[in-house]
Amino acid sequence: MMSPKQISDDRGSSHFRNTPFQIIHLIGNFFRIWSVYSMYRYLNQTGAPVVFFLFCCLVPSSIIFLILQKPWKGRALSNQQIVPSLINGVITALYFILWGKGLKSCGPLRAILSEYSGAVLGVLSGVLYGRRGHVWKKVGGLIAMLVALFFLSQGWATSSLSPFSTKDSTETKEEEVQTEQALGMMGMMIPVFAGILSALRRVIARRVSLKNQQKKRLHAITITSATCFLFPVAMWDLIIGSSSGKTSELPFSAWAFLSTIVFGIILIFYVDNIAEERLHMVFSSPRHLMVAGACIIVMELAYEMDFSLPGFIVCCLVLGFGIFEATSLERSKKDSSLKSEDPSNGILGNNDFDTSPILPI
């Protein structure tokens, strides 16, 4: 039997060993969020078709994934793995469409935070298949997440509408207020659905493969499949954009394209994979939200956006509390669950992996 001192020493050494992975996770998410802001500015300034831009980024990304992972080599993949990965490509393509549209209409802050609404899947899993004793805790977490999204839709994170900041009565501010008020909860639905689809594709990827190497090979198939399914939509988006006269020519921005490809699609996959395998941290978790929130603050200030720090912190706290309550069970058994549970079992929870049955896919 280990003494308390030995246990604390093991935890301290484990935390020290995980420090490099935590740094990698922080840097990777910072560059990913930076790519989102550069993409948003490029789309707003040029008026380029959103879906066509994402398709142009997915084409080289899929080629790079295929070159790196070589899914045709090594142990043959079964049809039970390939077919769901192809279907997952359809979901991924739909996710990119909704996420790109939501980014352009709602802005990067709302689009990024709405991705964490994918934790709703964890709530539904617990309510429909979990233990009755934890149903109300999950429902309460869901209500908190909805409240946070409502605050975001009302512009609490913007300096022009936040109740924590003074508003100037200039015409510019009045125009911003009208635009923000017109957004509402319905305007938030596009990035929210994109967040749910993002969580769903992660669930399918974890369920199809329990081995890390197979997961990477199947991800290359998924991204390639998503690129193929996105092609007709991108062409239609380009034709509609050209016929409407919005873009007479397609301007090119090396940083917008390269940052989206390298940081927004390729690097973030490996970073999130390291976070799951080494840090036991899945995407929809309070710790992941905390890292993203810090990066968003830096980007909002750097890009001089309409930003309210107190309002943003309130929205993040409420959203993080909702995720924490909705996606974690039996916190007293945290240590044992981390040792016994596979990261694929904590679909959308934090490091306190959910031991309830999982929403079947």
Side-chain angles (χ1 to χ4, degrees), residues 76-353:
L77 299 171
S78 63
N79 291 332
Q80 287 78 10
Q81 292 176 315
I82 295 179
V83 174
S85 296
L86 294 176
I87 297 175
N88 205 14
V90 181
I91 298 175
T92 303
L94 183 58
Y95 154 74
F96 276 113
I97 294 173
L98 293 180
W99 188 84
K101 297 292 185 180
L103 173 65
K104 192 168 184 178
S105 62
C106 300
L109 188 150
R110 292 188 178 110
I112 294 172
L113 292 185
S114 295
E115 286 187 293
Y116 293 90
S117 62
V120 172
L121 283 183
V123 177
L124 295 177
S125 174
V127 171
L128 297 177
Y129 303 97
R131 302 171 185 175
R132 294 183 178 180
H134 299 290
V135 170
W136 290 111
K137 180 175 291 188
K138 286 182 172 291
V139 172
L142 175 60
I143 294 175
M145 284 188 285
L146 293 177
V147 170
L149 293 175
F150 175 76
F151 288 163
L152 288 171
S153 69
Q154 296 302 310
W156 278 38
T158 61
S159 59
S160 57
L161 285 178
S162 175
F164 303 100
S165 60
T166 58
K167 295 175 287 187
D168 299 330
S169 57
T170 61
E171 295 181 359
T172 303
K173 290 295 181 179
E174 290 177 357
E175 292 178 358
E176 290 177 357
V177 170
Q178 292 176 359
T179 303
E180 297 292 348
Q181 285 178 343
L183 181 63
M185 279 297 290
M186 292 304 297
M188 287 285 293
M189 287 298 102
I190 295 179
V192 166
F193 281 126
I196 295 176
L197 288 176
S198 176
L200 181 59
R201 69 190 180 98
R202 294 171 190 270
V203 171
I204 295 177
R206 294 189 189 107
R207 280 298 156 196
V208 171
S209 175
L210 296 178
K211 293 184 178 180
N212 191 27
Q213 191 60 35
Q214 287 184 344
K215 181 180 177 182
K216 293 178 181 179
R217 295 169 66 192
L218 292 171
H219 182 74
I221 297 176
T222 298
I223 292 297
T224 305
S225 174
T227 305
C228 296
F229 286 114
L230 201 64
F231 173 73
V233 184
M235 293 301 102
W236 177 257
D237 191 35
L238 179 62
I239 294 172
I240 293 299
S242 301
S243 62
S244 61
K246 293 181 180 178
T247 55
S248 56
E249 60 179 359
L250 293 177
F252 177 78
S253 172
W255 171 247
F257 278 93
L258 290 178
S259 62
T260 303
I261 295 169
V262 177
F263 303 126
I265 300 177
I266 299 176
L267 180 64
I268 195 61
F269 167 73
Y270 295 103
V271 170
D272 285 343
N273 196 55
I274 290 175
E276 288 185 14
E277 297 294 328
R278 300 293 184 175
L279 302 177
H280 303 287
M281 183 195 306
V282 292
F283 181 83
S284 293
S285 66
R287 286 199 297 165
H288 201 291
L289 175 63
M290 181 177 64
V291 172
C295 297
I296 289 174
I297 292 175
V298 175
M299 287 294 102
E300 287 283 326
L301 296 177
Y303 278 81
E304 298 181 352
M305 306 290 285
D306 184 18
F307 179 64
S308 171
L309 180 59
F312 174 76
I313 292 177
V314 170
C315 293
C316 282
L317 288 177
V318 177
L319 181 61
F321 173 78
I323 295 175
F324 181 75
E325 287 296 315
T327 60
S328 61
L329 294 177
E330 299 182 1
R331 300 187 185 91
S332 60
K333 298 181 180 180
K334 172 183 175 181
D335 295 333
S336 60
S337 65
L338 285 176
K339 294 179 181 179
S340 60
E341 293 290 334
D342 185 86
S344 61
N345 291 336
I347 299 181
L348 302 169
N350 56 5
N351 57 333
D352 309 324
F353 292 111

Side-chain angles (χ1 to χ4, degrees), residues 26-41:
L26 176 61
I27 295 176
N29 276 274
F30 174 79
F31 279 106
R32 188 257 173 173
I33 292 176
W34 190 359
S35 70
V36 173
Y37 277 82
S38 63
M39 172 184 170
Y40 174 75
R41 173 161 290 186

